[in-house]
Amino acid sequence: MTKPVQPTMTAAYYAQCVISFAVALGSVGIGIVFLPVNPWVRAFLAVAVLYTVTSAFGLAKCVRDRQEAANTASRVDQARLDKLLSEHDPFKVDNL
């Protein structure tokens, strides 16, 4: 059996994701600081952004864990099938 190809993340892609996240969060932070509203409105928006960011991280983790669980179950099933096929001898005659 051939081993399935595991996708790999390059360093450039990882850097792009981190930089993109930092720029987006920084932009929102600067926008909140310079927003012409009362301080309590700024504080509310800042807390809302932080909640959104932490929720996004939590959701990403849940999606990743669910995908890994499905992948692991698939690999266990594949290993069982491989073992069954390797032990099967089509030319074996059962003595009754």
Side-chain angles (χ1 to χ4, degrees):
M1 302 256 15
T2 60
K3 191 174 185 181
V5 177
Q6 294 291 330
T8 58
M9 185 183 336
T10 63
Y13 179 72
Y14 181 76
Q16 179 185 359
C17 289
V18 171
I19 291 169
S20 174
F21 176 75
V23 167
L25 196 58
S27 299
V28 169
I30 291 171
I32 289 173
V33 168
F34 290 109
L35 198 63
V37 293
N38 294 333
W40 70 270
V41 175
R42 280 194 200 116
F44 176 78
L45 290 174
V47 169
V49 167
L50 288 176
Y51 180 63
T52 302
V53 168
T54 56
S55 297
F57 279 117
L59 178 61
K61 183 185 177 310
C62 288
V63 168
R64 182 201 63 202
D65 291 348
R66 192 172 190 186
Q67 181 182 8
E68 284 180 357
N71 194 9
T72 301
S74 173
R75 280 192 280 158
V76 168
D77 291 341
Q78 183 65 38
R80 286 182 183 152
L81 179 63
D82 288 345
K83 182 180 179 211
L84 221 153
L85 289 175
S86 69
E87 293 174 350
H88 176 67
D89 184 6
F91 301 110
K92 182 179 177 184
V93 177
D94 291 328
N95 292 335
L96 298 173

